[in-house]
Amino acid sequence: MSRLNMALVQLNPVVGDIVGNTKKIIEAVLAAERDFQADMVVFPELTLTGYPPEDLLLRPSLSTRINAAIEELCKQKFSSHVVVGYPKTVEGRLYNMAGVISQGKVICEYAKQCLPNY
């Protein structure tokens, strides 16, 4: 029988502190791998930006900052798969995305389908 150890991580990210939130994610992944031998580490939606990002989503520099954070997570080459949430613009449309990072690269992304209307 195969076994899959999953760690569900709840952090307290700071809205707009993408660099600080990235550091928190790295620390949490390393702790989950070390303490629980996690094969997969899952974070909530919009963990990179903090929630709710509100006007932060309108800043032109957001995509650059998110891409840099994802690159930093990929450079870590974690032994586990990491699922992290972030906003992403695709073909001019903004999405609430979940990305799976594995072996130093984003292997898939999924855009949230049912968004609240408030």
Side-chain angles (χ1 to χ4, degrees):
M1 177 186 299
S2 296
R3 184 178 199 142
L4 175 67
N5 289 333
M6 291 182 65
L8 306 178
V9 180
Q10 185 168 348
L11 297 176
N12 189 15
V14 176
V15 174
D17 185 8
I18 296 169
V19 170
N21 295 339
T22 302
K23 289 178 183 176
K24 288 180 182 182
I25 292 167
I26 292 167
E27 291 170 4
V29 172
L30 294 174
E33 290 176 348
R34 179 188 65 241
D35 298 342
F36 304 107
Q37 296 75 49
D39 301 303
M40 179 173 280
V41 184
V42 181
F43 293 89
E45 67 178 314
L46 298 172
T47 302
L48 279 177
T49 56
Y51 189 88
E54 298 183 0
D55 291 352
L56 177 64
L57 297 174
L58 303 175
R59 293 188 180 196
S61 65
L62 181 64
S63 290
T64 303
R65 295 169 61 205
I66 291 296
N67 290 339
I70 292 170
E71 283 181 30
E72 183 61 32
L73 293 173
C74 288
K75 281 197 305 190
Q76 302 302 311
K77 298 207 176 167
F78 301 117
S79 62
S80 60
H81 300 287
V82 177
V83 181
V84 66
Y86 48 88
K88 182 174 181 180
T89 302
V90 178
E91 297 180 4
R93 296 188 62 174
L94 185 63
Y95 293 93
N96 183 343
M97 197 72 72
V100 180
I101 298 170
S102 178
Q103 298 178 349
K105 61 185 175 184
V106 177
I107 60 169
C108 69
E109 292 179 310
Y110 180 80
K112 185 174 180 179
Q113 301 297 305
C114 297
L115 300 173
N117 60 2
Y118 51 83

